[in-house]
Amino acid sequence: MAAPRLKVTSVRAAVPFKLVVTFSDGTHGAFNAAPMLAERGEGTEPLRDRAYFARVGLANGVPTWPNYFDISPQWLQEEMDKRGELQRPRPPRRP
């Protein structure tokens, strides 16, 4: 049986150019999108405007902007983990 597909369950933009995200596996954190936006590309160009960047939403568990630029949840989680931006849920305390 295949593992369930990782999704982003909540996302909101924070200044400057950060995404505060929660994943379906309970991990969460604040992704610094500035390095991604520094890469030149047709999809990222509009995101350099803070007001436009703030228009991020979720489409089927994927962070997406009105220009249809999106970020794979798997890639996002891996990048956040590499950078030390990912936090894992604490195990429940035993009585």
Side-chain angles (χ1 to χ4, degrees), residues 83-94:
R83 298 177 187 181
E85 299 169 336
L86 190 67
Q87 297 178 16
R88 289 173 171 55
R90 291 187 180 153
R93 296 179 87 189
R94 291 188 163 168

Side-chain angles (χ1 to χ4, degrees), residues 56-75:
V56 65
L58 288 175
N60 297 317
V62 177
T64 307
W65 282 266
N67 67 343
Y68 301 107
F69 181 83
D70 62 18
I71 301 176
S72 159
Q74 290 81 8
W75 179 87

Side-chain angles (χ1 to χ4, degrees), residues 9-74:
T9 57
S10 71
V11 63
R12 71 176 172 81
V15 177
F17 300 110
K18 289 190 178 186
L19 294 176
V20 178
V21 297
T22 302
F23 294 94
S24 56
D25 65 359
T27 57
H28 58 93
F31 173 68
N32 179 5
M36 179 186 77
L37 298 178
E39 295 177 17
R40 295 289 175 208
E42 199 174 296
T44 59
E45 189 69 35
L47 277 60
R48 292 187 188 107
D49 176 78
R50 287 184 181 186
Y52 194 88
F53 183 81
R55 295 175 62 190
V56 65
L58 288 175
N60 297 317
V62 177
T64 307
W65 282 266
N67 67 343
Y68 301 107
F69 181 83
D70 62 18
I71 301 176
S72 159
Q74 290 81 8

